[in-house]
């Protein structure tokens, strides 16, 4: 399993639009990808779960990937978070 | 006449008949089914059709409303692919042997409730998205497809709330305005009203009801008020307000993005005068080339004690960032005279206009001045900030200011606090003394901004607060114009630029004269920018 931590800087947090883009992106990997905030976890391929975390600006999230392409997924998603969130 | 209050989301006045849009509100009946597999297939096929429809809506919205607003339909499509949602529907069909319509409606309720229970108002609002996508699937299950609201005449659309898909499918030429019972400023109705330039009043509450269907009304989107069966007086004032707003909007459409250039190719900058952070929006909306005068007094007036460096830094930074690289000229504290603040403990004066004010306070109480300068030099890293000093009469004052600036920079450096090394510095020319010695002053600073209101009062010895002297207050007085001409000439001789930030700048009778003098910038109230641009473009 690979993971990274990230603190959200986008003032809107993870609202509907970036959640949608994240889901599309996560859907491109065969690995199982989880997004966690505090004690709560959500499947990064499911938009309602991600929105349900209610991630706001300043929140720290952990992204975990487990599977064949976990390394690639974590690298690319880290980049995605840094540029979009 | 009935008056209803709501929230204003987009300005403008709509006058016309109300059409109350009632949702068909398909009452979904629970039915027992035998074949769960067949029912799941029905659901999947309706879901596919709904997604196809969203694709079409996305394309349509992309043309009408731009990508940012069209994205909502793509997000809806992604929502319809959500496995939690799909599994919930399929599980209900499977375990409870119920029809797909009912399973979708129940799932929709559960997911919407999850959003409504969240503590963030934005997320609470997303319950509407869940209901919207579910309704779409149910419509397909019923074989109804989408029902479009057909409009035969221009109307004010009233509704409990409008979903994005309902809004995008309206024939925009026939929508005069939106009024809704629910909705927040982040709701789709609000966003779309803004994008489509349609007056809207939302969040009116229970006061707005179906009984007003077909009644004549005025929706004042600027004030957030609805008048049903308006009386004559209201009608007349609203019509006047509407024609003024239409005129303003036409000006905006015609002149936004255009250069401030005369027929013979002379160019001039037109900037905005603002007195608070909230005015920045107006400056941007009216296409200001920059902020020519940002009065910093509000920071002091809104406080019970001296504003801290952090407080000031945040305000200056925000304005600089919002103007995105355009020039923002911030004038340092200008109180005294007619603007007094309790905690400064200023003594009462016989002649406040000739008294202890502006830079005179700053130079004798450097601790106040230094706090402001530190905030300004730090904020300058985040945009294109210039600093301007008011009420200058002598060269030594400017040299003293520069000495204090050096001290401030040394302190910041020692404390390891990041700041911008070189910031453009200018002074107000608002005393005859400054105009007369402008040749010397021009060697000391990067620009001048002529404050014509004070310059007129000091040159003509006419108190501008005394209305009995109106006949003697002549803003076109030859003495004044000579001082302006001289100031411009002296600035240009040193390669410095010169602007005007007083009322004379917006005086259209003078535009031609000021252009001839070679004035480089006019800073006026935001609403005057486009009328002035129009005037400049008509000049030779």
């Amino acid at each position: 399993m690979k993971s990274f931590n990230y603190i959200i800087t986008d003032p809107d947090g993870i609202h509907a639009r970036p959640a949608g883009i994240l889901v599309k992106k996560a859907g491109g990997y065969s690995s199982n990808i989880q997004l966690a905030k505090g004690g709560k976890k959500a499947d990064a391929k499911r938009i309602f779960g991600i929105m349900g975390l209610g991630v706001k600006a300043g929140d720290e999230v952990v992204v975990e990937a487990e599977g064949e392409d976990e390394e690639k997924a974590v690298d690319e998603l880290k980049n995605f978070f840094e540029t979009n969130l | 006449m009935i008056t209803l209050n709501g929230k204003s989301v987009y300005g403008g006045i709509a006058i016309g008949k109300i059409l109350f849009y009632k949702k068909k509100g398909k009452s979904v009946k629970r039915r027992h089914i035998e074949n769960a597999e067949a029912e799941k297939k029905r659901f999947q096929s309706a879901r596919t059709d709904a997604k196809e429809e969203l694709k079409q809506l996305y394309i349509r919205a992309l043309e009408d409303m731009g990508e940012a607003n069209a994205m909502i339909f793509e997000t809806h499509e992604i929502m319809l692919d959500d496995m939690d949602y799909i599994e919930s529907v399929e599980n209900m069909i499977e375990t409870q042997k119920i029809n797909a319509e009912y399973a979708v409606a129940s799932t929709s309720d559960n997911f919407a409730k999850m959003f409504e229970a969240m503590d963030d108002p934005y997320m609470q609002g997303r319950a509407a998205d869940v209901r919207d996508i579910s309704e779409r699937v149910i419509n397909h299950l019923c074989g109804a497809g989408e029902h479009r609201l057909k409009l035969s005449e221009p109307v004010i659309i009233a509704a409990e709330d409008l979903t994005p898909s309902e809004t995008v499918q309206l024939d925009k030429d026939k929508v005069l305005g939106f009024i809704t019972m629910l909705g927040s400023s982040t709701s789709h109705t609000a966003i779309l009203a803004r994008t489509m330039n349609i007056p809207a009043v939302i969040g009116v509450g229970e006061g707005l009801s179906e009984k007003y269907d077909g009644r004549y009304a005025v929706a004042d989107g600027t004030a957030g008020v609805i008048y049903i069966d308006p009386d004559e007086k209201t009608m007349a004032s609203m019509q006047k307000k509407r024609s003024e707003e239409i005129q303003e909007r036409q000006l905006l459409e015609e002149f936004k993005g255009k250069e401030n250039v005369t027929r013979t190719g002379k160019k001039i900058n037109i900037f905005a005068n603002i007195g608070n952070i909230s005015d920045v929006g107006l400056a941007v909306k009216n296409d200001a080339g920059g902020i020519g005068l940002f009065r910093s007094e509000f920071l002091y007036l809104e406080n019970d004690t001296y504003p801290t460096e952090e407080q000031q830094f945040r305000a200056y930074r925000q304005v600089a960032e919002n103007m995105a690289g355009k020039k923002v000229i911030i004038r340092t504290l200008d109180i005294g005279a007619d603007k007094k603040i309790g905690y400064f403990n200023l003594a009462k004066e016989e002649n406040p206009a000739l008294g202890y004010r502006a830079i005179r306070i700053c130079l004798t109480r450097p601790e106040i001045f230094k706090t402001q300068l530190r905030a300004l030099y730090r904020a300058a890293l985040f945009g294109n900030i210039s600093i301007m000093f008011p009420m200058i009469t002598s060269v030594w004052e400017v040299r003293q200011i520069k000495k204090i600036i050096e001290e401030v920079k040394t302190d910041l450096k020692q404390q390891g606090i990041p700041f911008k090394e070189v910031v453009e510095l200018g002074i107000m020319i608002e005393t005859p003394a400054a105009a007369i010695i402008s040749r010397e002053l021009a060697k000391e600073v990067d620009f001048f901004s002529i404050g014509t209101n004070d310059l007129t009062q000091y040159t003509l010895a006419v108190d501008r607060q005394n209305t009995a002297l109106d006949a003697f207050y002549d803003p076109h007085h030859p003495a004044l114009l000579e001082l302006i001409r001289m100031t411009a000439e002296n600035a240009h001789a040193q390669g410095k630029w010169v602007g005007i930030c007083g009322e004379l700048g917006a005086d259209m009778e003078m535009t031609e004269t000021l252009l001839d003098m070679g004035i480089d910038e006019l800073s006026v109230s935001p609403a005057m920018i486009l009328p002035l641009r129009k005037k400049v473009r008509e000049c030779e």
Side-chain angles (χ1 to χ4, degrees):
Chain A
M1 191 191 68
K2 298 270 171 203
S3 73
F4 68 88
N5 291 36
Y6 181 77
I7 294 173
I8 304 294
T9 57
D10 187 302
D12 293 331
I14 306 187
H15 60 147
R17 181 179 174 163
I21 303 172
L22 173 61
V23 165
K24 266 173 112 177
K25 188 127 186 80
Y29 307 105
S30 65
S31 292
N32 180 16
I33 298 165
Q34 301 270 330
L35 181 71
K37 184 198 103 174
K40 288 196 287 180
K41 263 191 184 183
D43 184 338
K45 296 177 185 177
R46 300 184 179 198
I47 189 168
F48 289 132
I50 292 174
M51 289 171 69
L53 291 177
V55 179
K56 298 192 183 102
D59 285 347
E60 182 167 32
V61 294
V62 186
V63 179
E64 290 175 0
E66 189 159 16
E68 268 176 24
D69 54 1
E70 58 184 35
E71 199 134 342
K72 182 167 178 275
V74 161
D75 278 353
E76 291 175 3
L77 284 172
K78 190 160 191 282
N79 196 353
F80 170 81
F81 271 77
E82 280 162 4
T83 32
N84 295 290
L85 290 161
Chain B
M1 181 174 77
I2 299 151
T3 308
L4 301 171
N5 290 295
K7 276 176 272 186
S8 146
V9 288
Y10 187 77
I13 313 279
I15 303 176
K17 229 161 67 176
I18 292 182
L19 180 101
F20 206 99
Y21 173 61
K22 295 171 282 282
K23 292 202 199 307
K24 291 272 154 46
K26 289 192 188 50
S27 57
V28 173
K29 296 243 162 47
R30 183 187 172 120
R31 273 188 298 114
H32 180 79
I33 49 115
E34 295 299 330
N35 188 342
E37 282 316 307
E39 199 63 12
K40 280 197 260 178
K41 273 209 187 92
R42 263 187 77 225
F43 163 63
Q44 287 297 0
S45 123
R47 192 176 71 91
T48 311
D49 290 346
K51 281 176 58 183
E52 184 50 43
E53 206 171 64
L54 283 164
K55 272 201 186 77
Q56 298 304 324
L57 278 174
Y58 173 77
I59 293 167
R60 197 182 151 140
L62 201 58
E63 284 171 22
D64 285 3
M65 304 186 287
E67 206 216 336
N69 290 302
M71 267 302 292
I72 180 65
F73 298 111
E74 200 179 37
T75 307
H76 278 190
E77 210 189 315
I78 295 168
M79 287 176 174
L80 279 177
D81 277 331
D82 185 276
M83 284 312 291
D84 291 326
Y85 184 88
I86 296 171
E87 281 165 9
S88 163
V89 174
E90 293 194 333
N91 274 338
M92 282 186 200
I93 296 173
E94 180 93 45
T95 56
Q96 301 174 33
K97 293 271 189 284
I98 51 170
N99 54 326
E101 290 89 337
Y102 195 79
V104 171
S106 305
T107 300
S108 169
D109 260 358
N110 292 342
F111 278 72
K113 281 192 186 116
M114 171 196 92
F115 281 114
E116 277 159 2
M118 288 174 75
D119 56 3
D120 168 8
Y122 168 80
M123 283 298 175
Q124 286 164 5
R126 303 291 60 80
D129 291 295
V130 176
R131 298 217 160 90
D132 196 7
I133 61 161
S134 304
E135 204 169 305
R136 190 177 300 284
V137 176
I138 292 171
N139 280 338
H140 281 284
L141 283 165
C142 303
E146 190 126 31
H147 60 281
R148 283 185 60 178
L149 183 58
K150 290 256 189 300
L151 304 175
S152 51
E153 56 174 343
V155 286
I156 298 173
I157 304 275
E160 186 178 323
D161 203 359
L162 288 163
T163 63
S165 37
E166 282 159 357
T167 330
V168 72
Q169 295 186 69
L170 291 170
D171 180 354
K172 264 144 265 145
D173 297 335
K174 297 213 171 70
V175 179
L176 301 169
F178 291 122
I179 53 181
T180 64
M181 297 164 70
L182 307 175
S184 64
S185 52
T186 57
S187 70
H188 294 297
T189 314
I191 295 164
L192 294 173
R194 280 194 284 264
T195 316
M196 290 161 23
N197 297 337
I198 292 174
V201 180
I202 61 161
V204 182
E206 300 290 321
L208 180 64
S209 80
E210 273 181 44
K211 69 177 180 217
Y212 299 130
D213 186 48
R215 302 270 281 273
Y216 206 69
V218 176
D220 180 347
T222 313
V225 183
I226 301 161
Y227 305 95
I228 291 161
D229 302 330
D231 57 32
E232 232 169 275
K233 202 172 133 241
T234 309
M235 197 61 194
S237 86
M238 284 295 130
Q239 260 161 348
K240 183 161 167 277
K241 195 168 168 185
R242 186 171 74 150
S243 66
E244 281 166 6
E245 291 200 5
I246 289 173
Q247 221 173 359
E248 193 185 318
R249 202 166 298 167
Q250 278 168 347
L251 212 57
L252 212 61
E253 271 163 31
E254 193 180 346
F255 290 103
K256 214 171 165 170
K258 295 254 169 78
E259 270 193 304
N260 309 306
V261 61
T262 67
R263 290 170 197 269
T264 54
K266 265 186 273 181
K267 284 184 195 167
I268 193 161
N269 286 318
I270 303 182
F271 290 0
N273 290 342
I274 62 169
N276 209 325
I277 302 177
S278 53
D279 298 339
V280 176
L282 274 180
V284 173
K285 186 180 146 224
N286 286 290
D287 207 18
I291 304 292
L293 169 62
F294 179 24
R295 304 182 182 92
S296 60
E297 289 80 67
F298 79 96
L299 283 163
Y300 298 84
L301 291 163
E302 284 174 359
N303 255 13
D304 297 330
T305 177
Y306 298 102
T308 63
E309 180 182 325
E310 277 314 305
Q311 224 174 341
Q312 298 195 47
F313 166 70
R314 278 197 301 270
Y316 304 146
R317 173 181 172 170
Q318 193 183 340
V319 173
E321 284 182 338
N322 288 351
M323 288 306 292
K326 288 184 176 158
K327 202 188 275 295
V328 175
I329 303 174
I330 302 177
R331 184 178 69 189
T332 59
L333 178 65
D334 185 12
I335 65 149
D338 49 333
K339 287 170 267 176
K340 285 253 193 284
I341 298 173
Y343 59 84
F344 273 78
N345 291 317
L346 299 176
K348 205 169 158 43
E349 296 180 70
E350 283 292 315
N351 269 316
L354 306 181
Y356 189 53
R357 56 171 290 202
I359 203 68
R360 300 171 180 182
I361 297 178
C362 290
L363 289 176
T364 47
R365 294 174 70 176
E367 70 289 356
I368 299 174
F369 196 31
K370 280 186 172 176
T371 306
Q372 183 166 34
L373 288 170
R374 283 172 66 100
L376 285 166
Y377 270 84
R378 287 174 56 200
L381 283 174
F382 298 90
N384 188 2
I385 287 179
S386 305
I387 308 176
M388 174 159 81
F389 305 97
M391 207 47 200
I392 298 293
T393 53
S394 307
V395 172
W396 73 262
E397 292 164 339
V398 181
R399 295 200 177 132
Q400 182 66 20
I401 291 167
K402 289 202 276 193
K403 200 174 141 242
I404 295 174
I405 288 174
E406 284 316 310
E407 288 169 21
V408 163
K409 288 207 250 177
T410 310
D411 289 348
L412 286 169
K413 216 171 283 172
Q414 274 171 2
Q415 291 157 354
I417 299 171
F419 67 96
K420 193 167 173 195
E421 190 65 46
V422 182
V423 175
E424 193 184 41
L425 301 178
I427 55 171
M428 296 275 295
I429 301 289
E430 52 190 335
T431 63
I436 293 166
I437 61 160
S438 51
R439 188 202 308 263
E440 296 310 310
L441 289 169
K443 294 174 189 160
E444 300 287 333
V445 296
D446 303 311
F447 68 93
F448 290 154
S449 185
I450 305 174
T452 52
N453 304 354
D454 269 338
L455 189 59
T456 310
Q457 124 163 316
Y458 294 133
T459 305
L460 304 182
V462 170
D463 179 356
R464 60 179 164 120
Q465 322 267 23
N466 186 344
T467 48
L469 296 175
D470 280 359
F472 300 91
Y473 186 91
D474 174 12
H476 299 173
H477 195 289
L480 185 72
L481 299 182
E482 180 56 22
L483 289 175
I484 295 173
R485 192 198 52 76
M486 207 169 110
T487 303
E489 204 177 277
N490 286 330
H492 291 151
Q494 295 294 328
K496 309 295 166 71
W497 65 266
V498 57
I500 290 188
C501 65
E503 272 159 39
L504 199 70
D507 184 341
M508 309 269 184
E509 281 177 49
M510 296 303 296
T511 310
E512 194 105 51
T513 311
L514 298 175
L515 281 162
D516 286 342
M517 288 181 186
I519 299 294
D520 302 284
E521 175 245 20
L522 298 171
S523 192
V524 298
S525 65
M528 285 306 296
I529 292 171
L530 294 169
L532 188 56
R533 174 171 299 165
K534 181 168 183 277
K535 174 71 190 175
V536 167
R537 294 174 68 89
E538 286 160 7
C539 286
E540 284 305 313

